[in-house]
Structure formats: C-alpha cells, structure tokens
Amino acid sequence: MQFSKTERQNEEKSWDNPWDEQVSQEILKRVSDFMREDDESFFRRTIQGLTLAEIEEFLIECPEFQKFWDKQN
C-alpha cells in the first residue's frame, strides 16, 4: 500500500520539528535522573507533603522503604 504525498510530508514534518526533539530530550533527562536516584532520595521525595497516616500506609504497602523512615524527622 502506498502512502499519499500528504502522509509522507506529515511524517517528514514530525521528525523535523525541533520542539519534539526538545521535549524528547527533556523526557530522556527526567527518566535518566529518576533511574540514577537512590532509594532513600526517592522515598524522601515521595513522602513530601504526606501526612503521618499516609506515610505509614505507604510503608505498609512498600516495606522496603521502612529503613529510611525516621519518625523523629
């Protein structure tokens, strides 16, 4: 099946759009930063703004993070 000329032009334009490239780079950076983040930093960022009850519920669901929880903080 052949593509119409318009379909080919639209396909080419989508690859040439610098905004798409910029967004793609930002997404890759965010994913990379997330993958490099250590578990404790992830935990601290995740619980920001949560109530004590919400944090305790999170720790029940994800017990591997209990070692990072210090109730004194």
Side-chain angles (χ1 to χ4, degrees), residues 38-69:
D38 63 33
D39 288 345
E40 186 172 6
S41 296
F42 172 79
F43 172 71
R44 297 282 172 213
R45 186 171 48 83
T46 301
I47 65 168
Q48 285 180 351
L50 297 180
T51 66
L52 181 58
E54 291 170 326
I55 293 169
E56 289 174 348
E57 187 176 324
F58 174 79
L59 292 172
I60 290 169
E61 294 296 322
C62 304
E64 65 272 18
F65 291 108
Q66 288 179 356
K67 61 186 174 190
F68 303 123
W69 178 238

Side-chain angles (χ1 to χ4, degrees), residues 15-29:
W15 289 105
D16 294 334
N17 188 340
W19 188 83
D20 287 344
E21 180 67 25
Q22 192 175 34
V23 170
S24 296
Q25 291 301 318
E26 177 63 25
I27 291 169
L28 289 174
K29 182 185 179 320

